[in-house]
Amino acid sequence: MDNLLDRALGLDGRSDRWPLRGKLVLVEDCVETGGAFVIHHIIKRFLSPQSSAFSNNSLILVAFSQPLSHYDRVLRKLGCNLVAQRDNNRFLFFDMLNLRFPDREDAKIGSSVLVSLFEKIYNAVCALSAENSCITIVIDDIALMEVVANGSSDSVLDFLHYCRTLTSEFDCSVVALNHGDIYSSMEKPMLMLNLEYLSNILVRAEPLATGSVVDVHGQLMVFDKGERDRQGTSGSKIHNFHFRVKENSVDFFYPGGRG
Amino acid sequence: MAESICRALRDGALEGEHAPALTIKDSIDSPLGFDVFAHVLAQLSSHILAGKSQSRGLVLVAFTRSPSFYVNLLKERGLEVNSSRKWFHILDCYTDPHGWKDRIVGRGKVNDVTKEASGVSTLCKDVKDTDKLCSLAIELGKGFIGEGKGRFSFALDSVNEMLRYASVRSVARVLSDLRSHDLASCVFWLLHSDLLEDKVAAVFEYMSSMVASLESAVPSPNGLRISLANLSLTEQNFRRARFSVRFKRRNGRVRLMTEEISIERSGITFSSVSTDGGTMGGSILPKVQFNLQLSEKELMDRAKVVLPFEHQGDGKPIEIYDGRRSPADKNNEAAATMQMTDSSKGEIIYLRDSDDERPDSDEDPDDDLDI
């Protein structure tokens, strides 16, 4: 059964093909309102599709912040078995947690880590694409990737640029999580702005303007910039609704209502 | 006004002058810059293909979109890039700007383009080398004219991406070299102003003969970024914007024009700025609650009014001078009026002034006041 987030992202079964193909989705959150549940929801939708047309989906998860066991536990509660998907070669997990961080003074090594990471992703995408798979690359998260790159936002942007070329070359989707409040003290948060320019869909999780409430955990904005069709239409749409994260699911509802 | 820009690029460089250069500038608040860039690209391409422009060909330096995207963009506008005459080429700085894919798959095997785009694109695998990038773009341009005479144009879809790879000085030198090349007809580029310091954006504006800025149709109170606090404004700003263009003339004069731009089903449209209470075309009437001008009916009624002293009330036919008869008629009438005067009585002879004349533009109606 689809919900408001599915409708906002186009995951409500209106299309036969994965609606996020060829798109870069940026999820922004903050300390008060985590956005990881959006990533989990997209993974669940992608790997456990309602339509048989999606049976050839393959997901690559690049994890800088959590081990596989964490994602497995969370997704199982949502009804998705990551281990089984991995055994079926439908789920690839790149564990970046166990990297030895490079010397602080040598920025080049940090950049080369991302180059080798891209090499692995590119080879995996080429192999999966040869099997006519629909591929989604999930990156969790960009802030930690910047740490791996020794604080070089240019290296991170280069990496994301190359991931974006995969959306045009292989029709992949790229979904990335970033923490907006890390850059909130900057007058011009360049990395954040660059990411917002790059993304096709922006999902932002924020606390309620009125403060914290027991039964409403925050609000989501989903901004789909739209795409150009033959007539040149923009078709940008903004959706805004509240959410409540429960043990095995997430409720989405409009302000004042319940899902 | 957008037509003026496209016309200036179409007409190209004058002998002994640098090629006209256009900066298209936007921000996250009003991110329609790429739509304008695509529109200008399509318009210039159309002129080139039709043989109506000074330029014989266009080199597009692509950083943010794939060659296939641009080929499809032009194809959807009826512009065939793979025609018998070579007129369009893409310097592909998008697919593999640092050579990462080249190292993975081996030399010469990187291919992110469709078959259609492969014939009109050249891969650039080291965008940090701006000198080489500039030379490559010029060589591609020369390929349009061969041994013959002619000029060619350049388009760069992101100055910001160039600035990530190279210094401001290097990028400025590239743009300056392209603009000042003997065979350059015109150059235009896109930049996002909020990704640059103001002084850096100013560098590229100074180099331009035209600067087209996109600003929010409705200013956002949150400044730079998309915000939950102003969702409807954000959505509006992705469809509409204020489009201001600064033209720098050779004599140093700067002319500023403004339009509204909107993205609609039919594509991008440009329209005059609508103001509250004012008229289109830049009327200087102040915005007040009452009319300062007369309607047609009011003008006619005023003309029919008989002013005091225009009739003498002595039984004779009322002779009214309306200022429209010939001078001969006026003299005869005046003479007749004088002849009929009884010298023993005083009377007022009133000759009506001609119709109201509008004051000269620099005339102050209060000049004759002796205050």
Side-chain angles (χ1 to χ4, degrees), chain A residues 98-110:
Chain A
N98 294 323
L99 271 185
R100 273 184 300 166
F101 288 103
D103 188 334
R104 277 179 181 266
E105 291 169 6
D106 193 346
K108 281 190 181 171
I109 296 181

Side-chain angles (χ1 to χ4, degrees), chain B residues 189-249:
Chain B
W189 56 79
L190 170 64
L191 63 86
H192 304 307
S193 58
D194 49 353
L195 294 180
L196 304 172
E197 292 176 51
D198 292 343
K199 61 183 180 183
V200 173
V203 165
F204 300 103
E205 290 184 36
Y206 274 118
M207 294 171 61
S208 312
S209 53
M210 297 175 282
V211 178
S213 307
L214 285 136
E215 291 149 6
S216 312
V218 184
S220 161
N222 197 44
L224 291 174
R225 293 178 53 222
I226 302 163
S227 166
L228 270 159
N230 56 349
L231 290 178
S232 61
L233 293 181
T234 302
E235 203 168 11
Q236 266 193 67
N237 288 335
F238 266 77
R239 293 203 180 110
R240 287 171 53 218
R242 199 172 182 87
F243 184 57
S244 304
V245 181
R246 213 165 57 230
F247 295 89
K248 207 186 304 176
R249 302 290 172 87

